[in-house]
Amino acid sequence: MNLFDLSGRVAIITGGNAGIGFGIAQGLAAAGAAIVIAGRRTNKNREAVSALVAHDAKAAAFELDVGNEASCRSMIERTVAQFGRIDILINSAAVRAEAPLLEMSLKQWHEILGVILDGSFLCSRAVLPHMVKNKYGRIINLGGVSTHIGAPGRAHVGTAKMGVVGFTKALASEFAPHGITVNCVVPGKIGGERSATAGRGIQQVGPVGREGIPEDVAVAVRMLCQPQASYITGQTIHVSGGLYMP
């Protein structure tokens, strides 16, 4: 039994054109899944697809504004039209920013929650009818370690990411009878290409003694996407080198 075989599966990764999202895309592609990169930066989407195809992966890119209902629906429809099915959704798109609470505008607050929470809601709602029809699905939501250990200037991000935890549990309960699992993976302090403020408020690296790399997160995600992982749902799994231990 190959526990890392996703041949014939189709995976969408929002925000999958760089950083952790692209690391997850690479990991799922290496396991045999066809990959859809969905994000706002068209050029970065194309670069990501080119890199995957260069390693013999099946891949496509669709422009996506995760906070826009029509854009989410269109991306799902285009994926089904091209690949015939959707088995996996990775809600990785996020905006990371820092602002002291007393200087934070309502617009800034809404922007962060709109991408992280609204995006997860809209993409999941659009994909779930297809998963229900197929009686199979894997949804992985990306959390944030600052939500669990606290970080200054991150009230909006921390609130949004904790909302993702609640959203994960609600979906896991509601859609388990349809063969669909929903889990949350929480990266720790991850190095590599991320936004200028990502992880800046987190100084520790945990007992393992190093920053993580996107591939560390991809391993956990790939495991949860396996058909054999059908008994794991509603969980929040930390990939942080022990930085946070629930």
Side-chain angles (χ1 to χ4, degrees), residues 44-85:
K44 291 291 290 183
N45 290 349
R46 290 172 180 167
E47 290 173 8
V49 167
S50 295
L52 293 172
V53 171
H55 288 86
D56 299 321
K58 293 181 181 179
F62 300 132
E63 188 172 346
L64 171 68
D65 176 357
V66 293
N68 182 284
E69 185 173 6
S71 180
C72 293
R73 187 184 304 114
S74 174
M75 182 271 294
I76 298 299
E77 291 173 352
R78 293 174 70 185
T79 298
V80 173
Q82 179 160 341
F83 292 102
R85 60 186 295 132

PDB file of all heavy atoms in Angstrom, residues 44-85:
ATOM      1  N   LYS A  44       2.615  34.997 -11.474  1.00  0.00           N
ATOM      2  CA  LYS A  44       3.106  34.013 -10.504  1.00  0.00           C
ATOM      3  C   LYS A  44       2.394  32.671 -10.664  1.00  0.00           C
ATOM      4  O   LYS A  44       3.012  31.614 -10.506  1.00  0.00           O
ATOM      5  CB  LYS A  44       2.916  34.539  -9.080  1.00  0.00           C
ATOM      6  CG  LYS A  44       3.798  35.710  -8.712  1.00  0.00           C
ATOM      7  CD  LYS A  44       5.258  35.308  -8.596  1.00  0.00           C
ATOM      8  CE  LYS A  44       5.523  34.446  -7.403  1.00  0.00           C
ATOM      9  NZ  LYS A  44       6.971  34.099  -7.239  1.00  0.00           N
ATOM     10  N   ASN A  45       1.105  32.710 -10.976  1.00  0.00           N
ATOM     11  CA  ASN A  45       0.367  31.475 -11.239  1.00  0.00           C
ATOM     12  C   ASN A  45       1.021  30.696 -12.379  1.00  0.00           C
ATOM     13  O   ASN A  45       1.232  29.481 -12.301  1.00  0.00           O
ATOM     14  CB  ASN A  45      -1.080  31.777 -11.604  1.00  0.00           C
ATOM     15  CG  ASN A  45      -1.908  32.283 -10.439  1.00  0.00           C
ATOM     16  OD1 ASN A  45      -1.483  32.241  -9.291  1.00  0.00           O
ATOM     17  ND2 ASN A  45      -3.095  32.781 -10.739  1.00  0.00           N
ATOM     18  N   ARG A  46       1.328  31.411 -13.469  1.00  0.00           N
ATOM     19  CA  ARG A  46       1.920  30.767 -14.640  1.00  0.00           C
ATOM     20  C   ARG A  46       3.295  30.208 -14.331  1.00  0.00           C
ATOM     21  O   ARG A  46       3.655  29.106 -14.778  1.00  0.00           O
ATOM     22  CB  ARG A  46       2.004  31.779 -15.784  1.00  0.00           C
ATOM     23  CG  ARG A  46       0.646  32.160 -16.371  1.00  0.00           C
ATOM     24  CD  ARG A  46       0.786  33.309 -17.349  1.00  0.00           C
ATOM     25  NE  ARG A  46      -0.507  33.684 -17.910  1.00  0.00           N
ATOM     26  CZ  ARG A  46      -0.714  34.811 -18.592  1.00  0.00           C
ATOM     27  NH1 ARG A  46       0.280  35.668 -18.789  1.00  0.00           N
ATOM     28  NH2 ARG A  46      -1.919  35.090 -19.075  1.00  0.00           N
ATOM     29  N   GLU A  47       4.084  30.953 -13.557  1.00  0.00           N
ATOM     30  CA  GLU A  47       5.410  30.470 -13.175  1.00  0.00           C
ATOM     31  C   GLU A  47       5.311  29.191 -12.353  1.00  0.00           C
ATOM     32  O   GLU A  47       6.096  28.250 -12.543  1.00  0.00           O
ATOM     33  CB  GLU A  47       6.145  31.551 -12.374  1.00  0.00           C
ATOM     34  CG  GLU A  47       6.561  32.759 -13.189  1.00  0.00           C
ATOM     35  CD  GLU A  47       7.139  33.867 -12.318  1.00  0.00           C
ATOM     36  OE1 GLU A  47       7.352  33.622 -11.106  1.00  0.00           O
ATOM     37  OE2 GLU A  47       7.370  34.972 -12.839  1.00  0.00           O
ATOM     38  N   ALA A  48       4.351  29.158 -11.448  1.00  0.00           N
ATOM     39  CA  ALA A  48       4.169  27.969 -10.616  1.00  0.00           C
ATOM     40  C   ALA A  48       3.779  26.769 -11.464  1.00  0.00           C
ATOM     41  O   ALA A  48       4.303  25.664 -11.280  1.00  0.00           O
ATOM     42  CB  ALA A  48       3.109  28.236  -9.550  1.00  0.00           C
ATOM     43  N   VAL A  49       2.856  26.967 -12.394  1.00  0.00           N
ATOM     44  CA  VAL A  49       2.427  25.879 -13.264  1.00  0.00           C
ATOM     45  C   VAL A  49       3.592  25.387 -14.124  1.00  0.00           C
ATOM     46  O   VAL A  49       3.797  24.181 -14.294  1.00  0.00           O
ATOM     47  CB  VAL A  49       1.241  26.314 -14.141  1.00  0.00           C
ATOM     48  CG1 VAL A  49       0.991  25.306 -15.266  1.00  0.00           C
ATOM     49  CG2 VAL A  49      -0.011  26.454 -13.290  1.00  0.00           C
ATOM     50  N   SER A  50       4.367  26.314 -14.655  1.00  0.00           N
ATOM     51  CA  SER A  50       5.518  25.932 -15.479  1.00  0.00           C
ATOM     52  C   SER A  50       6.499  25.079 -14.685  1.00  0.00           C
ATOM     53  O   SER A  50       7.043  24.089 -15.192  1.00  0.00           O
ATOM     54  CB  SER A  50       6.223  27.179 -16.016  1.00  0.00           C
ATOM     55  OG  SER A  50       5.384  27.887 -16.903  1.00  0.00           O
ATOM     56  N   ALA A  51       6.725  25.452 -13.431  1.00  0.00           N
ATOM     57  CA  ALA A  51       7.638  24.688 -12.587  1.00  0.00           C
ATOM     58  C   ALA A  51       7.102  23.282 -12.322  1.00  0.00           C
ATOM     59  O   ALA A  51       7.862  22.307 -12.302  1.00  0.00           O
ATOM     60  CB  ALA A  51       7.878  25.422 -11.273  1.00  0.00           C
ATOM     61  N   LEU A  52       5.806  23.166 -12.122  1.00  0.00           N
ATOM     62  CA  LEU A  52       5.206  21.844 -11.890  1.00  0.00           C
ATOM     63  C   LEU A  52       5.247  20.986 -13.155  1.00  0.00           C
ATOM     64  O   LEU A  52       5.606  19.803 -13.100  1.00  0.00           O
ATOM     65  CB  LEU A  52       3.758  22.012 -11.421  1.00  0.00           C
ATOM     66  CG  LEU A  52       3.556  22.660 -10.047  1.00  0.00           C
ATOM     67  CD1 LEU A  52       2.078  22.947  -9.807  1.00  0.00           C
ATOM     68  CD2 LEU A  52       4.104  21.780  -8.938  1.00  0.00           C
ATOM     69  N   VAL A  53       4.890  21.583 -14.277  1.00  0.00           N
ATOM     70  CA  VAL A  53       4.884  20.841 -15.542  1.00  0.00           C
ATOM     71  C   VAL A  53       6.293  20.373 -15.912  1.00  0.00           C
ATOM     72  O   VAL A  53       6.482  19.303 -16.492  1.00  0.00           O
ATOM     73  CB  VAL A  53       4.284  21.720 -16.664  1.00  0.00           C
ATOM     74  CG1 VAL A  53       4.471  21.065 -18.034  1.00  0.00           C
ATOM     75  CG2 VAL A  53       2.791  21.956 -16.401  1.00  0.00           C
ATOM     76  N   ALA A  54       7.292  21.171 -15.556  1.00  0.00           N
ATOM     77  CA  ALA A  54       8.681  20.796 -15.832  1.00  0.00           C
ATOM     78  C   ALA A  54       9.075  19.506 -15.124  1.00  0.00           C
ATOM     79  O   ALA A  54      10.030  18.836 -15.518  1.00  0.00           O
ATOM     80  CB  ALA A  54       9.621  21.924 -15.422  1.00  0.00           C
ATOM     81  N   HIS A  55       8.320  19.159 -14.083  1.00  0.00           N
ATOM     82  CA  HIS A  55       8.551  17.907 -13.354  1.00  0.00           C
ATOM     83  C   HIS A  55       7.443  16.888 -13.658  1.00  0.00           C
ATOM     84  O   HIS A  55       7.121  16.026 -12.836  1.00  0.00           O
ATOM     85  CB  HIS A  55       8.639  18.180 -11.855  1.00  0.00           C
ATOM     86  CG  HIS A  55       9.901  18.869 -11.448  1.00  0.00           C
ATOM     87  ND1 HIS A  55      10.042  20.247 -11.488  1.00  0.00           N
ATOM     88  CD2 HIS A  55      11.093  18.376 -11.016  1.00  0.00           C
ATOM     89  CE1 HIS A  55      11.262  20.572 -11.081  1.00  0.00           C
ATOM     90  NE2 HIS A  55      11.916  19.472 -10.794  1.00  0.00           N
ATOM     91  N   ASP A  56       6.866  17.044 -14.850  1.00  0.00           N
ATOM     92  CA  ASP A  56       5.902  16.067 -15.388  1.00  0.00           C
ATOM     93  C   ASP A  56       4.565  16.024 -14.653  1.00  0.00           C
ATOM     94  O   ASP A  56       3.837  15.025 -14.715  1.00  0.00           O
ATOM     95  CB  ASP A  56       6.501  14.650 -15.409  1.00  0.00           C
ATOM     96  CG  ASP A  56       7.742  14.570 -16.284  1.00  0.00           C
ATOM     97  OD1 ASP A  56       7.749  15.208 -17.352  1.00  0.00           O
ATOM     98  OD2 ASP A  56       8.703  13.881 -15.899  1.00  0.00           O
ATOM     99  N   ALA A  57       4.219  17.096 -13.949  1.00  0.00           N
ATOM    100  CA  ALA A  57       2.917  17.154 -13.278  1.00  0.00           C
ATOM    101  C   ALA A  57       1.856  17.675 -14.236  1.00  0.00           C
ATOM    102  O   ALA A  57       2.152  18.432 -15.168  1.00  0.00           O
ATOM    103  CB  ALA A  57       2.996  18.059 -12.064  1.00  0.00           C
ATOM    104  N   LYS A  58       0.622  17.266 -14.000  1.00  0.00           N
ATOM    105  CA  LYS A  58      -0.514  17.878 -14.674  1.00  0.00           C
ATOM    106  C   LYS A  58      -0.920  19.095 -13.855  1.00  0.00           C
ATOM    107  O   LYS A  58      -1.170  18.976 -12.649  1.00  0.00           O
ATOM    108  CB  LYS A  58      -1.684  16.897 -14.759  1.00  0.00           C
ATOM    109  CG  LYS A  58      -1.436  15.694 -15.647  1.00  0.00           C
ATOM    110  CD  LYS A  58      -2.667  14.795 -15.682  1.00  0.00           C
ATOM    111  CE  LYS A  58      -2.425  13.571 -16.558  1.00  0.00           C
ATOM    112  NZ  LYS A  58      -3.617  12.665 -16.570  1.00  0.00           N
ATOM    113  N   ALA A  59      -0.981  20.261 -14.496  1.00  0.00           N
ATOM    114  CA  ALA A  59      -1.258  21.475 -13.723  1.00  0.00           C
ATOM    115  C   ALA A  59      -1.905  22.534 -14.592  1.00  0.00           C
ATOM    116  O   ALA A  59      -1.707  22.583 -15.808  1.00  0.00           O
ATOM    117  CB  ALA A  59       0.033  22.023 -13.113  1.00  0.00           C
ATOM    118  N   ALA A  60      -2.700  23.368 -13.944  1.00  0.00           N
ATOM    119  CA  ALA A  60      -3.339  24.510 -14.597  1.00  0.00           C
ATOM    120  C   ALA A  60      -3.418  25.637 -13.594  1.00  0.00           C
ATOM    121  O   ALA A  60      -3.318  25.424 -12.384  1.00  0.00           O
ATOM    122  CB  ALA A  60      -4.737  24.141 -15.105  1.00  0.00           C
ATOM    123  N   ALA A  61      -3.605  26.846 -14.106  1.00  0.00           N
ATOM    124  CA  ALA A  61      -3.729  28.017 -13.227  1.00  0.00           C
ATOM    125  C   ALA A  61      -4.964  28.803 -13.600  1.00  0.00           C
ATOM    126  O   ALA A  61      -5.232  29.033 -14.785  1.00  0.00           O
ATOM    127  CB  ALA A  61      -2.491  28.906 -13.347  1.00  0.00           C
ATOM    128  N   PHE A  62      -5.713  29.206 -12.592  1.00  0.00           N
ATOM    129  CA  PHE A  62      -6.886  30.048 -12.795  1.00  0.00           C
ATOM    130  C   PHE A  62      -6.804  31.243 -11.865  1.00  0.00           C
ATOM    131  O   PHE A  62      -6.490  31.105 -10.680  1.00  0.00           O
ATOM    132  CB  PHE A  62      -8.184  29.270 -12.522  1.00  0.00           C
ATOM    133  CG  PHE A  62      -8.378  28.076 -13.413  1.00  0.00           C
ATOM    134  CD1 PHE A  62      -8.725  26.850 -12.881  1.00  0.00           C
ATOM    135  CD2 PHE A  62      -8.199  28.176 -14.781  1.00  0.00           C
ATOM    136  CE1 PHE A  62      -8.907  25.745 -13.684  1.00  0.00           C
ATOM    137  CE2 PHE A  62      -8.371  27.078 -15.608  1.00  0.00           C
ATOM    138  CZ  PHE A  62      -8.728  25.851 -15.062  1.00  0.00           C
ATOM    139  N   GLU A  63      -7.086  32.404 -12.414  1.00  0.00           N
ATOM    140  CA  GLU A  63      -7.085  33.610 -11.589  1.00  0.00           C
ATOM    141  C   GLU A  63      -8.223  33.533 -10.583  1.00  0.00           C
ATOM    142  O   GLU A  63      -9.323  33.085 -10.905  1.00  0.00           O
ATOM    143  CB  GLU A  63      -7.237  34.846 -12.465  1.00  0.00           C
ATOM    144  CG  GLU A  63      -7.055  36.159 -11.716  1.00  0.00           C
ATOM    145  CD  GLU A  63      -7.028  37.362 -12.640  1.00  0.00           C
ATOM    146  OE1 GLU A  63      -6.893  37.165 -13.867  1.00  0.00           O
ATOM    147  OE2 GLU A  63      -7.138  38.490 -12.141  1.00  0.00           O
ATOM    148  N   LEU A  64      -7.949  33.985  -9.364  1.00  0.00           N
ATOM    149  CA  LEU A  64      -8.952  33.881  -8.304  1.00  0.00           C
ATOM    150  C   LEU A  64      -8.849  35.052  -7.355  1.00  0.00           C
ATOM    151  O   LEU A  64      -7.767  35.380  -6.867  1.00  0.00           O
ATOM    152  CB  LEU A  64      -8.741  32.581  -7.518  1.00  0.00           C
ATOM    153  CG  LEU A  64      -9.581  32.414  -6.241  1.00  0.00           C
ATOM    154  CD1 LEU A  64     -11.055  32.259  -6.583  1.00  0.00           C
ATOM    155  CD2 LEU A  64      -9.082  31.238  -5.412  1.00  0.00           C
ATOM    156  N   ASP A  65      -9.984  35.660  -7.077  1.00  0.00           N
ATOM    157  CA  ASP A  65     -10.136  36.612  -5.977  1.00  0.00           C
ATOM    158  C   ASP A  65     -10.961  35.896  -4.928  1.00  0.00           C
ATOM    159  O   ASP A  65     -12.178  35.752  -5.075  1.00  0.00           O
ATOM    160  CB  ASP A  65     -10.836  37.880  -6.469  1.00  0.00           C
ATOM    161  CG  ASP A  65     -11.106  38.883  -5.353  1.00  0.00           C
ATOM    162  OD1 ASP A  65     -10.801  38.572  -4.182  1.00  0.00           O
ATOM    163  OD2 ASP A  65     -11.647  39.961  -5.636  1.00  0.00           O
ATOM    164  N   VAL A  66     -10.314  35.422  -3.862  1.00  0.00           N
ATOM    165  CA  VAL A  66     -11.005  34.553  -2.911  1.00  0.00           C
ATOM    166  C   VAL A  66     -12.139  35.239  -2.172  1.00  0.00           C
ATOM    167  O   VAL A  66     -13.025  34.573  -1.629  1.00  0.00           O
ATOM    168  CB  VAL A  66     -10.040  33.937  -1.870  1.00  0.00           C
ATOM    169  CG1 VAL A  66      -9.083  32.977  -2.515  1.00  0.00           C
ATOM    170  CG2 VAL A  66      -9.313  35.018  -1.099  1.00  0.00           C
ATOM    171  N   GLY A  67     -12.125  36.564  -2.151  1.00  0.00           N
ATOM    172  CA  GLY A  67     -13.205  37.276  -1.477  1.00  0.00           C
ATOM    173  C   GLY A  67     -14.392  37.580  -2.358  1.00  0.00           C
ATOM    174  O   GLY A  67     -15.362  38.201  -1.906  1.00  0.00           O
ATOM    175  N   ASN A  68     -14.340  37.111  -3.603  1.00  0.00           N
ATOM    176  CA  ASN A  68     -15.396  37.385  -4.567  1.00  0.00           C
ATOM    177  C   ASN A  68     -16.136  36.096  -4.891  1.00  0.00           C
ATOM    178  O   ASN A  68     -15.546  35.132  -5.389  1.00  0.00           O
ATOM    179  CB  ASN A  68     -14.796  37.999  -5.835  1.00  0.00           C
ATOM    180  CG  ASN A  68     -15.842  38.353  -6.866  1.00  0.00           C
ATOM    181  OD1 ASN A  68     -16.377  37.486  -7.550  1.00  0.00           O
ATOM    182  ND2 ASN A  68     -16.134  39.643  -6.991  1.00  0.00           N
ATOM    183  N   GLU A  69     -17.424  36.073  -4.613  1.00  0.00           N
ATOM    184  CA  GLU A  69     -18.212  34.851  -4.785  1.00  0.00           C
ATOM    185  C   GLU A  69     -18.212  34.346  -6.216  1.00  0.00           C
ATOM    186  O   GLU A  69     -18.035  33.151  -6.472  1.00  0.00           O
ATOM    187  CB  GLU A  69     -19.645  35.103  -4.310  1.00  0.00           C
ATOM    188  CG  GLU A  69     -20.535  33.872  -4.333  1.00  0.00           C
ATOM    189  CD  GLU A  69     -21.885  34.115  -3.696  1.00  0.00           C
ATOM    190  OE1 GLU A  69     -22.172  35.284  -3.326  1.00  0.00           O
ATOM    191  OE2 GLU A  69     -22.652  33.155  -3.540  1.00  0.00           O
ATOM    192  N   ALA A  70     -18.393  35.256  -7.184  1.00  0.00           N
ATOM    193  CA  ALA A  70     -18.429  34.847  -8.586  1.00  0.00           C
ATOM    194  C   ALA A  70     -17.081  34.289  -9.030  1.00  0.00           C
ATOM    195  O   ALA A  70     -17.013  33.322  -9.800  1.00  0.00           O
ATOM    196  CB  ALA A  70     -18.832  36.028  -9.461  1.00  0.00           C
ATOM    197  N   SER A  71     -15.992  34.884  -8.544  1.00  0.00           N
ATOM    198  CA  SER A  71     -14.661  34.416  -8.902  1.00  0.00           C
ATOM    199  C   SER A  71     -14.411  33.009  -8.369  1.00  0.00           C
ATOM    200  O   SER A  71     -13.857  32.150  -9.079  1.00  0.00           O
ATOM    201  CB  SER A  71     -13.609  35.387  -8.354  1.00  0.00           C
ATOM    202  OG  SER A  71     -12.309  34.964  -8.686  1.00  0.00           O
ATOM    203  N   CYS A  72     -14.825  32.747  -7.151  1.00  0.00           N
ATOM    204  CA  CYS A  72     -14.673  31.408  -6.564  1.00  0.00           C
ATOM    205  C   CYS A  72     -15.484  30.376  -7.341  1.00  0.00           C
ATOM    206  O   CYS A  72     -14.987  29.288  -7.660  1.00  0.00           O
ATOM    207  CB  CYS A  72     -15.093  31.420  -5.100  1.00  0.00           C
ATOM    208  SG  CYS A  72     -14.016  32.393  -4.028  1.00  0.00           S
ATOM    209  N   ARG A  73     -16.704  30.722  -7.656  1.00  0.00           N
ATOM    210  CA  ARG A  73     -17.561  29.792  -8.389  1.00  0.00           C
ATOM    211  C   ARG A  73     -16.989  29.503  -9.777  1.00  0.00           C
ATOM    212  O   ARG A  73     -16.968  28.352 -10.241  1.00  0.00           O
ATOM    213  CB  ARG A  73     -18.970  30.371  -8.508  1.00  0.00           C
ATOM    214  CG  ARG A  73     -19.978  29.386  -9.105  1.00  0.00           C
ATOM    215  CD  ARG A  73     -21.348  29.999  -9.299  1.00  0.00           C
ATOM    216  NE  ARG A  73     -21.873  30.549  -8.059  1.00  0.00           N
ATOM    217  CZ  ARG A  73     -22.097  31.842  -7.846  1.00  0.00           C
ATOM    218  NH1 ARG A  73     -21.829  32.722  -8.791  1.00  0.00           N
ATOM    219  NH2 ARG A  73     -22.584  32.254  -6.697  1.00  0.00           N
ATOM    220  N   SER A  74     -16.500  30.542 -10.444  1.00  0.00           N
ATOM    221  CA  SER A  74     -15.931  30.374 -11.774  1.00  0.00           C
ATOM    222  C   SER A  74     -14.695  29.477 -11.738  1.00  0.00           C
ATOM    223  O   SER A  74     -14.518  28.604 -12.603  1.00  0.00           O
ATOM    224  CB  SER A  74     -15.565  31.742 -12.363  1.00  0.00           C
ATOM    225  OG  SER A  74     -14.883  31.598 -13.584  1.00  0.00           O
ATOM    226  N   MET A  75     -13.845  29.668 -10.741  1.00  0.00           N
ATOM    227  CA  MET A  75     -12.641  28.849 -10.627  1.00  0.00           C
ATOM    228  C   MET A  75     -12.986  27.379 -10.452  1.00  0.00           C
ATOM    229  O   MET A  75     -12.371  26.499 -11.072  1.00  0.00           O
ATOM    230  CB  MET A  75     -11.797  29.359  -9.462  1.00  0.00           C
ATOM    231  CG  MET A  75     -10.486  28.620  -9.246  1.00  0.00           C
ATOM    232  SD  MET A  75     -10.645  27.187  -8.130  1.00  0.00           S
ATOM    233  CE  MET A  75     -11.047  28.005  -6.580  1.00  0.00           C
ATOM    234  N   ILE A  76     -13.979  27.089  -9.640  1.00  0.00           N
ATOM    235  CA  ILE A  76     -14.403  25.702  -9.427  1.00  0.00           C
ATOM    236  C   ILE A  76     -14.973  25.121 -10.709  1.00  0.00           C
ATOM    237  O   ILE A  76     -14.646  23.982 -11.105  1.00  0.00           O
ATOM    238  CB  ILE A  76     -15.439  25.619  -8.288  1.00  0.00           C
ATOM    239  CG1 ILE A  76     -14.831  26.090  -6.958  1.00  0.00           C
ATOM    240  CG2 ILE A  76     -16.004  24.210  -8.181  1.00  0.00           C
ATOM    241  CD1 ILE A  76     -13.667  25.275  -6.479  1.00  0.00           C
ATOM    242  N   GLU A  77     -15.816  25.874 -11.388  1.00  0.00           N
ATOM    243  CA  GLU A  77     -16.421  25.397 -12.635  1.00  0.00           C
ATOM    244  C   GLU A  77     -15.376  25.121 -13.702  1.00  0.00           C
ATOM    245  O   GLU A  77     -15.460  24.129 -14.440  1.00  0.00           O
ATOM    246  CB  GLU A  77     -17.447  26.423 -13.130  1.00  0.00           C
ATOM    247  CG  GLU A  77     -18.693  26.518 -12.246  1.00  0.00           C
ATOM    248  CD  GLU A  77     -19.607  27.654 -12.658  1.00  0.00           C
ATOM    249  OE1 GLU A  77     -19.197  28.465 -13.530  1.00  0.00           O
ATOM    250  OE2 GLU A  77     -20.724  27.737 -12.100  1.00  0.00           O
ATOM    251  N   ARG A  78     -14.383  25.987 -13.792  1.00  0.00           N
ATOM    252  CA  ARG A  78     -13.323  25.805 -14.790  1.00  0.00           C
ATOM    253  C   ARG A  78     -12.466  24.581 -14.466  1.00  0.00           C
ATOM    254  O   ARG A  78     -12.026  23.860 -15.362  1.00  0.00           O
ATOM    255  CB  ARG A  78     -12.457  27.063 -14.876  1.00  0.00           C
ATOM    256  CG  ARG A  78     -13.195  28.260 -15.443  1.00  0.00           C
ATOM    257  CD  ARG A  78     -12.359  29.520 -15.390  1.00  0.00           C
ATOM    258  NE  ARG A  78     -11.251  29.481 -16.327  1.00  0.00           N
ATOM    259  CZ  ARG A  78     -10.308  30.411 -16.416  1.00  0.00           C
ATOM    260  NH1 ARG A  78     -10.342  31.463 -15.591  1.00  0.00           N
ATOM    261  NH2 ARG A  78      -9.338  30.310 -17.298  1.00  0.00           N
ATOM    262  N   THR A  79     -12.261  24.336 -13.181  1.00  0.00           N
ATOM    263  CA  THR A  79     -11.502  23.153 -12.780  1.00  0.00           C
ATOM    264  C   THR A  79     -12.232  21.879 -13.175  1.00  0.00           C
ATOM    265  O   THR A  79     -11.642  20.951 -13.741  1.00  0.00           O
ATOM    266  CB  THR A  79     -11.259  23.160 -11.260  1.00  0.00           C
ATOM    267  OG1 THR A  79     -10.486  24.315 -10.919  1.00  0.00           O
ATOM    268  CG2 THR A  79     -10.525  21.907 -10.824  1.00  0.00           C
ATOM    269  N   VAL A  80     -13.527  21.832 -12.894  1.00  0.00           N
ATOM    270  CA  VAL A  80     -14.322  20.650 -13.251  1.00  0.00           C
ATOM    271  C   VAL A  80     -14.365  20.474 -14.762  1.00  0.00           C
ATOM    272  O   VAL A  80     -14.252  19.349 -15.279  1.00  0.00           O
ATOM    273  CB  VAL A  80     -15.746  20.759 -12.665  1.00  0.00           C
ATOM    274  CG1 VAL A  80     -16.624  19.625 -13.176  1.00  0.00           C
ATOM    275  CG2 VAL A  80     -15.693  20.741 -11.140  1.00  0.00           C
ATOM    276  N   ALA A  81     -14.494  21.585 -15.496  1.00  0.00           N
ATOM    277  CA  ALA A  81     -14.545  21.507 -16.956  1.00  0.00           C
ATOM    278  C   ALA A  81     -13.248  20.935 -17.522  1.00  0.00           C
ATOM    279  O   ALA A  81     -13.273  20.165 -18.498  1.00  0.00           O
ATOM    280  CB  ALA A  81     -14.811  22.892 -17.544  1.00  0.00           C
ATOM    281  N   GLN A  82     -12.115  21.291 -16.924  1.00  0.00           N
ATOM    282  CA  GLN A  82     -10.829  20.829 -17.465  1.00  0.00           C
ATOM    283  C   GLN A  82     -10.443  19.441 -16.973  1.00  0.00           C
ATOM    284  O   GLN A  82      -9.922  18.630 -17.741  1.00  0.00           O
ATOM    285  CB  GLN A  82      -9.721  21.817 -17.118  1.00  0.00           C
ATOM    286  CG  GLN A  82      -8.337  21.403 -17.634  1.00  0.00           C
ATOM    287  CD  GLN A  82      -7.374  22.544 -17.731  1.00  0.00           C
ATOM    288  OE1 GLN A  82      -7.762  23.710 -17.750  1.00  0.00           O
ATOM    289  NE2 GLN A  82      -6.086  22.240 -17.796  1.00  0.00           N
ATOM    290  N   PHE A  83     -10.694  19.161 -15.685  1.00  0.00           N
ATOM    291  CA  PHE A  83     -10.201  17.914 -15.109  1.00  0.00           C
ATOM    292  C   PHE A  83     -11.298  16.900 -14.785  1.00  0.00           C
ATOM    293  O   PHE A  83     -10.996  15.763 -14.452  1.00  0.00           O
ATOM    294  CB  PHE A  83      -9.400  18.212 -13.839  1.00  0.00           C
ATOM    295  CG  PHE A  83      -8.115  18.944 -14.097  1.00  0.00           C
ATOM    296  CD1 PHE A  83      -8.020  20.304 -13.866  1.00  0.00           C
ATOM    297  CD2 PHE A  83      -7.002  18.281 -14.586  1.00  0.00           C
ATOM    298  CE1 PHE A  83      -6.834  20.988 -14.100  1.00  0.00           C
ATOM    299  CE2 PHE A  83      -5.807  18.945 -14.823  1.00  0.00           C
ATOM    300  CZ  PHE A  83      -5.722  20.313 -14.586  1.00  0.00           C
ATOM    301  N   GLY A  84     -12.563  17.337 -14.824  1.00  0.00           N
ATOM    302  CA  GLY A  84     -13.661  16.402 -14.646  1.00  0.00           C
ATOM    303  C   GLY A  84     -14.082  16.146 -13.214  1.00  0.00           C
ATOM    304  O   GLY A  84     -15.153  15.571 -12.980  1.00  0.00           O
ATOM    305  N   ARG A  85     -13.301  16.586 -12.247  1.00  0.00           N
ATOM    306  CA  ARG A  85     -13.620  16.330 -10.850  1.00  0.00           C
ATOM    307  C   ARG A  85     -12.763  17.214  -9.963  1.00  0.00           C
ATOM    308  O   ARG A  85     -11.786  17.815 -10.412  1.00  0.00           O
ATOM    309  CB  ARG A  85     -13.383  14.863 -10.484  1.00  0.00           C
ATOM    310  CG  ARG A  85     -11.943  14.417 -10.699  1.00  0.00           C
ATOM    311  CD  ARG A  85     -11.752  12.925 -10.481  1.00  0.00           C
ATOM    312  NE  ARG A  85     -12.009  12.572  -9.087  1.00  0.00           N
ATOM    313  CZ  ARG A  85     -12.789  11.559  -8.728  1.00  0.00           C
ATOM    314  NH1 ARG A  85     -13.379  10.826  -9.652  1.00  0.00           N
ATOM    315  NH2 ARG A  85     -12.972  11.269  -7.446  1.00  0.00           N
TER     316      ARG A  85
END
